[in-house]
Amino acid sequence: MSQVDDANEALFVDLYELTMSASYAAHDLDQPATFDLFARHLPPGRGYLVSCGLDPALDYLESLRFESDTLDYLSSLDLFDESFLSLLSTLRFTGEVRAIPEGELVFPNEPILQVTAPLVEAQLVETFLLNCVGFQTMIATKASRVATACDGRTFVDFSPRRDHGSDAALKAARSAYVGGAAATSLVLAGQTYGLELSGTMAHSYVMRFDNEADAFLTYARDFPGRAIFLIDTYDTEQGARIAVEVAAKLEPELWPRAVRLDSGDIDQLSRSVRAILDEGGLGDVRIFASGDLDEYRIAELTSADAPIDAFGVGTQLGTSGDAPYVSVVYKLVEDASGPKVKLSTDKVTLPGRKQVFRVTGDGGELRSDVLALEDEIVGDGRPVLCPVMRGGRRVDAAEPLDVLRDRCRASVAALPDRLRSLAPEPPPYEVSTSAGLDALVHRLHEGFGVL
């Protein structure tokens, strides 16, 4: 078995989740419990996070089961008795999940999702949920920043060859689309998620021919009206002139859609190439830029009004190079004995089942969030934690990716300018706690003698 799939994903757990669960079961502690999955703080340079990964997480919960091969392996470890293995053999996720919808914005300490289930079930899903939601939230957030930098221009996910594993590349394509990417180069993502595909040609293709003209001419005829000429294999400006010469030999319907710049001074070259194309009668042929781009470099290009129509973003998108993880955690906040709190230094948690209320201005702009107990009402706030699973089954069908993408675009547009900026240290968004939550925190802290 070379990858995680439906047959073995139940073992996508850290060992301690199994040993704790075995102990819970042995001591009659397998009663309902609630866990929050949240980010302790924002990654460096981030003013917000984009919730992403919920739909794959719900798929996992609905299909969770321990197959015979996985049980045989666990038996071979000599850690678990037959009664626990028997429990696992019939285990299904039967709990409920509340979550912030994909594409909505998230801020520190706000539950991205909240799981309530018998303790064994809720504990065993920890690692998968953290991996799934944390990674995809990271990529969707990065993509939304790239979209902001593009300032209305399109960008494409070019990341799969640099992503950290094949599953990561697939999930990165999905998350990048939610964050604002127009398409992906990864064909499997096109099949899996219905994403638009985008591709050009490699330098190897150009080098295989005796000259650039033959390469461009052949490709244009093989893919009429869809070809994008890579013009920087030898000399970019000369490549642009050759593209003009080739177009003169073709019917207009065979002309390339664009030329691609992948190296050098992209700003300066885009200007000279635009002039060459325009003078050659190819004013409708677009310029596509790639080559180690990220939101910062793209922002420089768009601010300088470089004549670039679209961008391909690879390594920095699929790895979120400047902030390669989100500090998501999964913490017990309530069980059969009541609300729970963790008091470890720098890792204090907020107890109880909660709701997040989002307060907006008259024009729809985001003003602040309030973290409250589940049964509280914040009069001018919109609750954003929604029920998505009951009894181990989805409440509603999965939303189309276009809906998630539109939600992300609208949510980011509603942010104050200071939080959309690419400044190294954006000022924080206001997240306060309600009177009821404050009172619960005080009571629990007082009970442990820490006030």
Side-chain angles (χ1 to χ4, degrees):
M1 191 79 62
S2 61
Q3 59 188 13
V4 179
D5 57 28
D6 290 345
N8 66 11
E9 67 183 2
L11 292 185
F12 197 93
V13 297
D14 286 298
L15 179 61
Y16 74 171
E17 287 149 19
L18 284 164
T19 54
M20 288 189 294
S21 294
S23 186
Y24 295 150
H27 298 284
D28 296 324
L29 298 174
D30 188 19
Q31 298 165 12
T34 297
F35 287 77
D36 283 354
L37 189 157
F38 61 95
R40 292 190 190 279
H41 50 75
L42 297 176
R46 303 296 189 260
Y48 62 90
L49 295 172
V50 176
S51 173
C52 196
L54 175 62
D55 186 59
L58 298 182
D59 281 345
Y60 158 77
L61 293 174
E62 283 194 320
S63 64
L64 180 64
R65 64 197 60 222
F66 285 81
E67 304 288 356
S68 58
D69 287 349
T70 63
L71 293 169
D72 289 344
Y73 172 70
L74 292 178
S75 178
S76 75
L77 299 178
D78 292 329
L79 280 172
F80 308 108
D81 61 27
E82 287 303 318
S83 64
F84 181 62
L85 295 175
S86 177
L87 181 155
L88 294 183
S89 71
T90 59
L91 184 139
R92 304 291 184 269
F93 184 78
T94 63
E96 69 174 61
V97 178
R98 298 162 69 233
I100 293 180
E102 292 189 87
E104 285 274 13
L105 303 186
V106 184
F107 300 94
N109 294 311
E110 298 180 346
I112 304 174
L113 60 80
Q114 185 180 84
V115 174
T116 300
L119 185 53
V120 169
E121 296 175 25
Q123 191 77 73
L124 287 176
V125 300
E126 174 182 2
T127 297
F128 188 98
L129 294 181
L130 286 169
N131 178 283
C132 182
V133 173
F135 174 76
Q136 294 188 62
T137 294
M138 176 183 77
I139 300 301
T141 304
K142 182 71 169 181
S144 74
R145 289 165 57 82
V146 173
T148 295
C150 284
D151 193 27
R153 299 166 177 84
T154 59
F155 74 98
V156 174
D157 164 40
F158 269 15
S159 72
R161 62 188 61 195
R162 299 288 175 81
D163 293 340
H164 297 167
S166 56
D167 182 70
L170 189 61
K171 298 299 191 297
R174 179 187 186 275
S175 307
Y177 186 83
V178 172
T184 180
S185 64
L186 186 60
V187 177
L188 181 57
Q191 180 197 42
T192 303
Y193 303 120
L195 302 182
E196 182 177 341
L197 297 175
S198 177
T200 59
M201 59 171 61
H203 293 105
S204 57
Y205 184 86
V206 177
M207 295 163 66
R208 179 63 183 84
F209 291 80
D210 291 337
N211 54 67
E212 285 177 292
D214 287 346
F216 295 166
L217 194 62
T218 302
Y219 205 73
R221 286 172 173 161
D222 286 345
F223 301 98
R226 297 180 58 86
I228 298 176
F229 294 166
L230 180 59
I231 61 174
D232 73 330
T233 303
Y234 305 113
D235 178 272
T236 301
E237 292 178 352
Q238 181 61 17
R241 295 187 187 96
I242 292 171
V244 170
E245 294 170 4
V246 166
K249 300 176 182 179
L250 296 167
E251 297 81 3
E253 60 268 22
L254 301 184
W255 283 2
R257 291 169 50 197
V259 297
R260 175 180 162 206
L261 312 179
D262 192 52
S263 59
D265 185 338
I266 298 294
D267 186 357
Q268 182 273 320
L269 288 171
S270 68
R271 299 176 194 278
S272 59
V273 166
R274 183 73 272 161
I276 292 168
L277 296 176
D278 290 349
E279 291 167 7
L282 299 185
D284 290 335
V285 172
R286 306 171 77 205
I287 294 178
F288 185 94
S290 59
D292 295 324
L293 298 178
D294 61 12
E295 67 265 46
Y296 305 106
R297 182 66 183 123
I298 290 172
E300 291 174 359
L301 292 167
T302 56
S303 296
D305 204 25
I308 298 170
D309 301 287
F311 300 93
V313 189
T315 302
Q316 295 299 319
L317 174 60
T319 65
S320 189
D322 66 319
Y325 68 92
V326 176
S327 60
V328 286
V329 293
Y330 184 82
K331 298 301 177 184
L332 178 69
V333 296
E334 188 166 310
D335 65 14
S337 61
K340 297 292 183 177
V341 65
K342 177 179 175 181
L343 299 177
S344 307
T345 302
D346 298 327
K347 295 185 176 181
V348 175
T349 60
L350 293 170
R353 289 170 58 93
K354 293 177 281 295
Q355 178 58 270
V356 179
F357 291 91
R358 186 145 292 165
V359 181
T360 57
D362 293 338
E365 69 278 7
L366 270 62
R367 298 177 61 181
S368 64
D369 282 6
V370 181
L371 260 171
L373 295 176
E374 180 183 29
D375 57 359
E376 287 188 280
I377 299 295
V378 175
D380 54 351
R382 170 176 65 90
V384 292
L385 265 175
C386 304
V388 294
M389 180 172 275
R390 293 193 186 98
R393 291 292 175 264
R394 292 171 183 266
V395 172
D396 297 304
E399 294 183 295
L401 286 180
D402 285 347
V403 171
L404 310 184
R405 190 168 183 261
D406 290 345
R407 180 182 294 137
C408 177
R409 182 186 296 114
S411 298
V412 173
L415 278 170
D417 291 343
R418 71 181 192 278
L419 297 179
R420 281 201 309 274
S421 80
L422 303 180
E425 296 183 15
Y429 178 78
E430 181 184 347
V431 179
S432 61
T433 50
S434 68
L437 182 54
D438 287 342
L440 177 60
V441 168
H442 185 275
R443 177 170 64 82
L444 293 177
H445 283 220
E446 188 176 45
F448 284 101
V450 296
L451 291 180

